[in-house]
Amino acid sequence: MKLLAWALSLSLFITLLSGCQFNEPQVKSTSFKATIGILLSDTGLGDGSFNDAAFKGLERARNELGVRFDYREAPDGDYEEKLNELVKEDMDLVIGLGFSVQEALEKVAKENPDQSFLLIDGSSDVENVMSMTFKEHEASFLVGVVAAMTSKTGVIGFIGGMDADVIHRFEAGYRAGALHADPDIEVITDYAGDFGDAELGGKLASEQIDKKADFLYPAAGYTGIGAILKAQEEGIFAAGVDGDQFFVAEKAVVTSMMKNVDIAVFDLVEALVNDSGEMTDYELGLAENGVTLAEIRLADLSVTQQAKLIDARKKIISGDLTVPDKVN
């Protein structure tokens, strides 16, 4: 089915993932211009990245657009209960943040066909669920380039939270970027099986450092925070994820793979408030400003290295360089 453009200056949302029909949100009669509910991902508020970014986008929408929003956290994993609580508040849109909520969100969506839902970081075929995904592999490619160019041992590390497709995209891009910069680089990979265990993250980081890794890239929530702090403790470099995590470890974090969830959420709510048309599914990469690389600090890249990084970014955006989203 054709994509109906939303009447707003929203170059962010230009890549159509699928032609899935999505019920047009009806803004209800209220003193607020729209009401939004969001179920945060496992680690909840204060993660310094994914959850905090989405929350920031909704706070901005509240302040600038006059919407009301409510949120839920489900540290016990009872996503279905929390989603139903938001549905009962008669929201214009209920958002599920993170791939881990997908199964529960789809179940609740099928039970409430007149309610509009948004799944961030997952792709759904359910009729009243819109999907928003990001090309994490594209910005992770740039992290890999930086890692390889700054490594002195020729060994770098990746730590994933869960063994899931979305985390595989981080690893695939990082690995490809590193090999693009240095075909002889060695990439060590570990999966923690947990997004909320900083101690485990530190342990995995120590093991990779013992194997001579001198640059770590964790995509693992609080587990990743533990890895970044261990990198700082051991005097090596690291990269943050989802948000700019430089202030987590100012002596270690060279850059971060930034997922602009706050911008995406705000723009989407703005379109809803404007009642511009039908919603659909989107995939956001470097070209759409859905992902980007944070400022590079600590590492002094040569002019040649800076040019190589800029060239890689330009080629990804133009399509001259295709970044794999799966690890071979």
Side-chain angles (χ1 to χ4, degrees):
M1 299 177 67
K2 63 181 181 179
L3 169 64
L4 300 179
W6 286 22
L8 72 168
S9 56
L10 191 54
S11 61
L12 178 63
F13 296 136
I14 65 171
T15 305
L16 179 62
L17 265 184
S18 71
C20 116
Q21 174 78 22
F22 185 77
N23 294 341
E24 180 179 344
Q26 299 297 317
V27 178
K28 301 170 178 62
S29 178
T30 176
S31 58
F32 300 101
K33 293 184 178 178
T35 53
I36 313 294
I38 186 168
L39 172 61
L40 301 174
S41 67
D42 296 357
T43 50
L45 283 179
D47 64 352
S49 56
F50 195 45
N51 288 287
D52 288 357
F55 199 83
K56 179 182 176 183
L58 288 175
E59 286 184 313
R60 182 185 168 199
R62 178 195 62 199
N63 297 338
E64 297 183 20
L65 304 175
V67 306
R68 179 180 73 84
F69 78 92
D70 196 4
Y71 75 98
R72 294 290 186 276
E73 297 174 285
D76 57 358
D78 195 350
Y79 310 123
E80 190 176 334
E81 177 187 356
K82 302 303 182 182
L83 287 166
N84 276 315
E85 288 178 7
L86 294 171
V87 169
K88 288 176 183 177
E89 291 190 34
D90 199 25
M91 299 289 186
D92 294 300
L93 181 67
V94 173
I95 302 172
L97 189 62
F99 66 91
S100 59
V101 311
Q102 180 166 349
E103 183 178 352
L105 185 141
E106 289 181 329
K107 182 176 184 295
V108 173
K110 290 174 183 177
E111 293 169 350
N112 298 273
D114 295 328
Q115 172 69 62
S116 296
F117 293 86
L118 168 66
L119 174 64
I120 297 180
D121 248 14
S123 184
S124 175
D125 294 326
V126 177
E127 185 176 3
N128 56 326
V129 178
M130 181 177 66
S131 303
M132 181 186 292
T133 56
F134 295 82
K135 298 178 183 178
E136 296 91 354
H137 49 294
E138 291 187 348
S140 293
F141 184 97
L142 302 181
V143 175
V145 171
V146 172
M149 291 191 304
T150 57
S151 175
K152 293 180 173 55
T153 64
V155 182
I156 60 177
F158 174 82
I159 297 173
M162 299 293 290
D163 190 2
D165 288 346
V166 63
I167 306 301
H168 295 164
R169 292 199 292 271
F170 286 92
E171 181 192 353
Y174 178 64
R175 183 180 295 274
L179 290 171
H180 175 81
D182 179 1
D184 296 322
I185 198 79
E186 180 183 352
V187 184
I188 302 170
T189 296
D190 288 295
Y191 278 83
D194 196 324
F195 284 109
D197 191 337
E199 184 177 348
L200 175 58
K203 178 177 179 295
L204 292 174
S206 289
E207 291 173 356
Q208 293 193 348
I209 293 168
D210 286 344
K211 296 175 183 176
K212 300 190 182 306
D214 62 354
F215 192 110
L216 303 182
Y217 180 39
Y222 281 127
T223 304
I225 295 293
I228 289 172
L229 291 173
K230 179 57 69 173
Q232 177 166 266
E233 181 184 322
E234 295 295 331
I236 68 165
F237 285 152
V241 71
D242 289 341
D244 187 349
Q245 294 187 313
F246 172 71
F247 299 104
V248 172
E250 297 183 12
K251 296 180 180 179
V253 176
V254 173
T255 187
S256 298
M257 194 299 293
M258 295 180 63
K259 192 183 295 188
N260 293 327
V261 179
D262 55 336
I263 297 173
V265 167
F266 175 84
D267 287 342
L268 188 114
V269 173
E270 184 177 42
L272 188 155
V273 167
N274 289 342
D275 198 20
S276 307
E278 188 179 17
M279 300 168 76
T280 188
D281 294 348
Y282 301 94
E283 185 178 32
L284 311 174
L286 286 173
E288 299 81 25
N289 196 32
V291 296
T292 189
L293 198 65
E295 177 185 351
I296 295 176
R297 309 172 176 99
L298 303 178
D300 293 322
L301 300 183
S302 68
V303 173
T304 301
Q305 289 174 327
Q306 292 177 42
K308 189 165 192 172
L309 185 63
I310 293 169
D311 181 66
R313 184 179 185 277
K314 287 181 177 178
K315 285 181 177 178
I316 292 170
I317 291 174
S318 69
D320 292 333
L321 197 165
T322 300
V323 181
D325 60 1
K326 293 181 176 62
V327 180
N328 295 328

